[in-house]
Amino acid sequence: MLDRYGRNITYLRLSVTELCNLRCRYCMPEEGVCKKEHSEMLTEEEIVLAVETAAELGINKLRITGGEPLVKKNIDSICERTAAVPGIREVCITTNGVLLPKLARPLKDAGVRRLNISLDTLDAEKFRYITRLGSLEDVLRGVETALETGFEKIKLNAVLIGGFNEDEIAPLAGLTKRWPVDLRFIELMPMLDSSEFGPEAFIPCERVLQALPELEEQERDGGVARLYRLPGAQGRIGLISPLSSHFCGECNRIRLTADGKLKPCLHGKAEFPIKGLDREGMREQFRTAMLAKPEWHGELSYASRSQAGRNMNTIGG
Ligand code: SAM
Ligand code: SF4
């Protein structure tokens, strides 16, 4: 379906839980989330109905995210059922990778074609610091298992943070030589609880180009990342710059939170509830939300923070 600015909305980002087995400092508070009532969250049946409704309106790509989607008990069933919805051509998952050694195979068998795995640092101590309780070894094992399982595509996501991993641009990019994966650097976004990061943490992706002058520019592939390649590398380097050069003009996404709110824009306040609605009611809300997509999310910077009023784990990054 076209929105008011002529953008064709074909991509649904579906958050299936707010819970997580890590506590990344830029994403959620240390104490975790105040667990909402089970009755507030979408059921599996509602999720499937929402995806069916979205597909009828032209959504063909689904990304399952969270919180950490792999901590959701019925994740394989959600993947299998949503992948089978007519019109859905592709189901992908964004994960922190910790549970992939156990779940990569069942997810692939359930129809998941692509994985994005988050990895901000290759230093075990820094990894523990940024995730507050994670182990780098677990994630590396998760990436290796995913590679062995044979997904169509694996991308690694690194949030670029000044004073934290700016000095690791080269080793992180070097993973595209070691493995057949793309590595994307994403600018740190000023969400609700990322207040412990000062202005120096919000650095532009241009720093990657300065650190790696040997990068060769590649053709864009329809996504939001500017693409490059290290000479001889198996995968590409992507730069995702929501702050320094927003890509709202190309935004084809809509989001559905685990508590059943449609969000036309990641950084906007507007939310449209679908919990408890029947097919017709959901269709109406999807239409309304798509038409409510703003032209752009407005200025985003350390001083001009996201208007979402939520942390990333409760939206689905
Ligand atoms: N738990 C999964 C994971 O970490 O990949 C999926 C959910 S997580 C919210 C999705 C993505 O959002 C991750 O790649 C994470 O690094 C990113 N993210 C979270 N908070 C962010 C922030 N403040 N700025 C930029 N990216 C952020
Ligand atoms: Fe969890 Fe992902 Fe947020 Fe980290 S970024 S706290 S892994 S939801």
Side-chain angles (χ1 to χ4, degrees):
M1 186 182 139
L2 293 185
D3 75 359
R4 283 185 302 154
Y5 302 97
R7 296 171 297 197
N8 194 13
I9 313 304
T10 56
Y11 181 9
L12 174 65
R13 293 174 77 101
L14 169 72
S15 171
V16 293
T17 181
E18 298 184 357
L19 305 179
C20 189
N21 45 0
L22 301 182
R23 295 281 183 277
C24 301
R25 288 171 187 269
Y26 45 71
C27 180
M28 65 190 286
E30 182 162 21
E31 60 278 14
V33 283
C34 147
K35 205 174 168 204
K36 291 182 179 154
E37 289 294 322
H38 197 60
S39 59
E40 289 176 64
M41 312 311 273
L42 290 180
T43 63
E44 180 173 329
E45 295 310 315
E46 286 172 320
I47 288 174
V48 174
L49 182 58
V51 173
E52 287 172 355
T53 312
E56 284 164 19
L57 289 170
I59 296 291
N60 56 36
K61 176 174 172 182
L62 186 66
R63 173 166 303 283
I64 296 179
T65 178
E68 173 49 39
L70 272 50
V71 304
K72 181 92 174 161
K73 270 201 221 85
N74 51 347
I75 186 64
D76 46 352
S77 171
I78 291 174
C79 291
E80 188 164 0
R81 293 180 66 189
T82 54
V85 168
I88 297 296
R89 293 205 311 244
E90 186 173 290
V91 174
C92 321
I93 288 191
T94 300
T95 171
N96 61 31
V98 170
L99 294 173
L100 280 175
K102 190 170 130 218
L103 291 175
R105 171 52 57 190
L107 291 175
K108 170 115 195 315
D109 291 346
V112 175
R113 290 172 50 181
R114 295 164 166 247
L115 290 182
N116 286 3
I117 305 172
S118 300
L119 179 59
D120 300 333
T121 171
L122 292 171
D123 177 303
E125 269 176 40
K126 283 164 75 177
F127 186 88
R128 165 69 59 145
Y129 170 79
I130 201 74
T131 62
R132 291 197 185 102
L133 36 89
S135 145
L136 175 65
E137 212 181 304
D138 289 347
V139 178
L140 295 179
R141 202 176 309 123
V143 177
E144 301 270 10
T145 312
L147 285 165
E148 287 157 16
T149 308
F151 286 92
E152 215 168 86
K153 183 90 198 166
I154 296 177
K155 294 179 184 171
L156 305 180
N157 286 343
V159 180
L160 187 61
I161 306 172
F164 174 70
N165 60 3
E166 201 183 342
D167 58 341
E168 288 191 78
I169 290 174
L172 284 166
L175 294 174
T176 61
K177 291 188 166 173
R178 173 169 162 196
W179 290 320
V181 298
D182 286 358
L183 183 291
R184 286 122 44 98
F185 290 101
I186 304 173
E187 288 174 356
L188 175 65
M189 290 179 262
M191 308 305 288
L192 196 64
D193 254 0
S194 48
S195 48
E196 71 178 75
F197 296 95
E200 69 292 343
F202 294 83
I203 56 174
C205 276
E206 296 309 314
R207 297 282 173 90
V208 175
L209 300 180
Q210 288 159 8
L212 302 171
E214 67 272 38
L215 281 176
E216 297 160 353
E217 194 162 359
Q218 308 285 299
E219 225 171 273
R220 299 277 289 267
D221 64 359
V224 296
R226 285 177 284 154
L227 296 172
Y228 300 84
R229 189 182 289 273
L230 285 173
Q234 305 183 65
R236 298 167 300 182
I237 303 293
L239 304 185
I240 303 183
S241 313
L243 278 71
S244 64
S245 72
H246 71 82
F247 38 80
C248 304
E250 299 153 55
C251 182
N252 61 352
R253 307 162 172 195
I254 186 157
R255 292 179 152 80
L256 178 57
T257 65
D259 61 350
K261 308 290 192 314
L262 281 170
K263 281 190 73 67
C265 172
L266 168 59
H267 296 297
K269 266 203 186 70
E271 299 186 349
F272 300 86
I274 62 162
K275 172 91 192 149
L277 300 181
D278 63 7
R279 189 178 291 268
E280 197 41 54
M282 280 196 190
R283 184 178 298 123
E284 218 31 61
Q285 287 294 68
F286 263 99
R287 273 188 209 284
T288 311
M290 286 178 182
L291 290 173
K293 265 182 85 63
E295 192 171 9
W296 77 297
H297 52 51
E299 172 71 16
L300 260 191
S301 65
Y302 171 73
S304 181
R305 307 186 72 83
S306 171
Q307 297 298 302
R310 285 175 177 252
N311 280 320
M312 201 66 103
N313 72 300
T314 72
I315 304 175

